[in-house]
Amino acid sequence: MNNKRHHTIQFVSIFAVLLIIMMQSFTQVIMMKPLDGIEEYEEQVVERSFKTYYNGTYQDYLTRLAKQNTGFREFFIRNYNQVLYSCFGKSTNHHIVEGRDHELYLKMYLDEITGNTLRKYHPTIEDAQAEAQKNLEATLRLIDTLHAHGTEFLFVFAPSKTAVYPEKMPRWYKKHMADFSLEEYYIELFKENNIPHIDFHSYFKAIKDTVSYPLYARTGTHWAQSTIPFVADSILRKMESITGYKLPRIQYVDKNITTNYTILDHELEDKMNLLFPLPKPALPNPILALSDTLDTDKPNLLIIGDSYGNQLVLSSFAKAFNHWDFWIYNRDTFSSRSLYNMKQLKMIYDAADILKDADIVMAVFTAPMFHNYMFGFAQSAQELYQKGDMTEEETILMTMDMIRTNSEWMKAIEQQAEKLGISAEENLRKNAKYYLDCQKNKSN
C-alpha cells in the first residue's frame, strides 16, 4: 500500500513538473534572464509536406524548434554550465579560458600572444613586417591629408590583458608565448616616424605592480572601469599638446569601491552563462567629473577603433568634445548625434562631411586588430575626401552601386519596377536619387 502511494506521488510530481515546463514553453509567463552571447533561432523554412515528412527534415525542424522554445531553457543551460564549471573547471564557451586565480581570458588574445593569429594572416614574420611598413606609409599619407583639412591625428595603442598579465595565463599558453609582437613592431615604427601616439601597451606593463587595483577586472577583457580615468585624462593631455585646445581634466568625485561591476568588467563571466556569480574582489567604479576650462569652443572628435573605444565614449571623456562620432571597426557608427547613431557607415550619405568636420581623428586598437590595420580607414578616408568633391552624377552612381550590394533592397526595387512597368535600372536610379534627397533633408 505504501509503495502504491509512493508511486502515485512520484507520478503526479513528475507530471506536474512536465506540465509546468510545457505551459512555460507556450506562454513564457515567467520572465527568465536571457542567455548572454549570440543565439540564432530557427526560422520556419521547412514546409510541411509529404516529401519533408517522409525524408525526416520536417521532424528535424520541429525538434530544433522545440529545443529553442523549451520552458525554463535558460535555467537548464545555466545549471548544466554551473555543474560543468564547479565540478570539472570547464566552460561550455570555448572562447573563454580560465587562468590562474580564476582570471578569465578571451581566447582571441591568447591566440595573438602565442603567435597563432600572426600565422593565420602572414606566412612569415618578414611578411608581417613588410605589410606593416606599407601601412605606415598609408598612415603618413593619411596624416598629410588630415592636416590639409585642419585635422589632427592620434593613435592609441590599447593594451591587452594577456600582454599585461601573462603570468596569470594557463601554463600551456605561458610556455608558448611568441617572441615577436606585431603591436610592438608598430609602436617602434610610430616612434621612429614621430607619429602622434600613446603607448599604453608598454606603460601598463610597467606600472601593473605599482597600482592599487588591477588594471583589468578578473572577469573582463577590456581595461577595468577603474583604469578609465587615467586613460581618458592621458588622452586629453596628449590631444591638448597636439591641437592647442585647452581641454578639461578628468576629476574623481568618488572612488565608489564595489563588487557590483560595470557590464564590461564582468563581460566574460556573463558569456559563461553560469547559474551563480563568480567571486570578485572589490574594485572602483569611479564617479567622475570634468574640470572647467577657459575654452568655450570644444573640438569635434572622430574615433576609429575596436571595442576598446566604448568605455571612453560612455564616460565623462566624451563631454570634453562638442560632438563625437565612433566608427567601430570602420563599419558601424555610434555618435552623440542621433542622426548618425547606430547606423552602418556605408549607409551614411554625408560621412565625408563628418570626417571633414572632425578636429581630431583618434584611432584606438588592441593587439589582434593590427592584422587588419585600422580596418582600412587609411584608404577609405582618402576616398571619403574624394567623395566630398564628387559631382551630383558621380554621387548618384556611387549610391546606385551601394544599393546593389544590399540584396533585399535590390529585390524590392526590382519588384517595384515590375509594378511600375519600368526597367530595374531606371527604378534603381530613382531610388538612389530619392535616398540622397532624404539624406540631404535629414542633414539640413
Side-chain angles (χ1 to χ4, degrees):
M1 185 69 181
N2 287 337
N3 283 341
K4 185 177 180 181
R5 183 180 179 185
H6 172 75
H7 291 156
T8 302
I9 293 173
Q10 190 177 48
F11 172 79
V12 172
S13 299
I14 293 172
F15 182 79
V17 169
L18 294 175
L19 182 62
I20 292 171
I21 292 174
M22 184 181 70
M23 293 299 294
Q24 174 70 8
S25 300
F26 287 105
T27 65
Q28 300 294 324
V29 66
I30 300 176
M31 296 298 294
M32 304 295 294
K33 181 182 177 182
L35 297 171
D36 200 295
I38 299 174
E39 289 189 279
E40 296 182 0
Y41 287 93
E42 184 74 28
E43 296 181 3
Q44 188 164 354
V45 293
V46 180
E47 296 181 0
R48 183 172 59 180
S49 65
F50 177 78
K51 181 180 179 180
T52 58
Y53 185 83
Y54 183 76
N55 63 25
T57 55
Y58 185 70
Q59 293 91 319
D60 290 341
Y61 158 73
L62 290 180
T63 301
R64 293 194 300 271
L65 205 62
K67 285 181 179 179
Q68 291 170 356
N69 292 280
T70 299
F72 307 107
R73 171 176 176 264
E74 297 85 353
F75 168 79
F76 293 131
I77 289 176
R78 290 182 188 279
N79 185 67
Y80 172 78
N81 292 346
Q82 187 68 55
V83 171
L84 198 66
Y85 176 76
S86 298
C87 297
F88 304 101
K90 294 185 178 180
S91 170
T92 56
N93 189 326
H94 302 301
H95 297 289
I96 298 171
V97 179
E98 186 177 60
R100 210 185 78 202
D101 298 331
H102 304 291
E103 196 78 37
L104 299 181
Y105 290 92
L106 195 59
K107 191 173 183 298
M108 176 176 70
Y109 290 96
L110 294 168
D111 287 340
E112 167 61 29
I113 205 166
T114 54
N116 286 337
T117 307
L118 182 75
R119 289 186 287 272
K120 177 182 176 182
Y121 287 94
H122 306 283
T124 64
I125 291 176
E126 290 73 22
D127 178 74
Q129 291 174 328
E131 185 171 317
Q133 290 284 350
K134 291 180 182 178
N135 289 331
L136 171 72
E137 294 169 5
T139 304
L140 292 172
R141 290 193 297 271
L142 170 67
I143 292 173
D144 288 341
T145 305
L146 292 173
H147 284 173
H149 291 82
T151 304
E152 295 294 338
F153 178 78
L154 176 64
F155 199 103
V156 176
F157 289 91
S160 62
K161 184 193 279 192
T162 50
V164 179
Y165 294 111
E167 67 275 8
K168 294 187 178 182
M169 295 191 310
R171 186 179 303 171
W172 186 91
Y173 292 98
K174 282 193 292 184
K175 284 184 177 181
H176 293 84
M177 287 177 60
D179 296 325
F180 174 77
S181 165
L182 187 57
E183 183 176 21
E184 291 176 359
Y185 186 71
Y186 272 104
I187 291 172
E188 291 304 315
L189 291 177
F190 273 52
K191 287 179 180 177
E192 291 171 6
N193 290 271
N194 297 314
I195 296 175
H197 69 279
I198 300 180
D199 178 13
F200 286 123
H201 171 84
S202 303
Y203 191 67
F204 272 37
K205 291 197 290 184
I207 68 169
K208 68 176 184 178
D209 294 325
T210 65
V211 292
S212 302
Y213 298 95
L215 298 168
Y216 287 80
R218 178 185 294 173
T219 50
T221 191
H222 294 86
W223 35 35
Q225 193 68 21
S226 56
T227 312
I228 293 302
F230 163 74
V231 169
D233 194 66
S234 298
I235 293 174
L236 290 175
R237 301 286 65 77
K238 184 68 175 181
M239 286 181 173
E240 194 173 61
S241 70
I242 65 177
T243 63
Y245 278 95
K246 183 65 177 176
L247 296 173
R249 289 191 172 274
I250 303 290
Q251 296 180 330
Y252 263 101
V253 176
D254 186 356
K255 278 190 175 182
N256 189 28
I257 309 296
T258 179
T259 56
N260 186 21
Y261 287 7
T262 60
I263 292 175
L264 288 179
D265 278 354
H266 60 72
E267 58 186 323
L268 295 187
E269 176 187 5
D270 288 347
K271 288 174 174 53
M272 292 174 70
N273 289 306
L274 300 174
L275 197 59
F276 305 113
L278 296 174
K280 303 185 222 17
L283 289 177
N285 181 12
I287 299 171
L288 308 174
L290 292 181
S291 66
D292 293 329
T293 64
L294 297 176
D295 285 0
T296 55
D297 183 24
K298 297 180 180 180
N300 301 323
L301 175 66
L302 173 60
I303 303 174
I304 314 297
D306 55 29
S307 55
Y308 267 66
N310 284 330
Q311 289 158 293
L312 292 172
V313 298
L314 296 175
S315 73
S316 297
F317 170 82
K319 297 176 183 177
F321 304 94
N322 177 40
H323 60 70
W324 57 266
D325 295 275
F326 179 20
W327 293 356
I328 185 166
Y329 306 120
N330 197 32
R331 182 192 65 206
D332 302 308
T333 67
F334 299 99
S335 177
S336 58
R337 298 172 287 179
S338 58
L339 177 62
Y340 306 119
N341 195 35
M342 303 295 288
K343 302 283 177 63
Q344 281 191 324
L345 181 57
K346 66 180 181 181
M347 302 298 287
I348 295 180
Y349 163 74
D350 47 358
D353 294 334
I354 298 175
L355 179 58
K356 287 183 177 181
D357 193 38
D359 297 297
I360 309 165
V361 170
M362 180 175 73
V364 184
F365 289 100
T366 189
M369 306 307 164
F370 286 94
H371 300 281
N372 192 353
Y373 184 70
M374 286 201 290
F375 292 90
F377 175 72
Q379 293 77 26
S380 63
Q382 305 286 5
E383 294 172 3
L384 284 174
Y385 279 122
Q386 292 172 5
K387 179 193 170 190
D389 300 325
M390 281 183 179
T391 64
E392 182 180 357
E393 178 63 19
E394 288 172 334
T395 305
I396 291 172
L397 292 175
M398 188 193 71
T399 305
M400 291 170 67
D401 287 338
M402 180 267 291
I403 294 174
R404 286 189 184 98
T405 63
N406 189 316
S407 58
E408 292 185 6
W409 197 348
M410 269 306 299
K411 185 177 180 181
I413 286 174
E414 290 168 356
Q415 292 173 346
Q416 185 184 47
E418 190 175 347
K419 290 180 181 178
L420 295 173
I422 60 177
S423 68
E425 189 69 12
E426 183 181 352
N427 198 39
L428 172 60
R429 185 179 183 85
K430 285 186 175 182
N431 275 263
K433 293 177 71 174
Y434 177 75
Y435 171 79
L436 291 171
D437 289 339
C438 290
Q439 293 297 315
K440 288 177 183 177
N441 291 334
K442 286 180 182 178
S443 301
N444 295 333

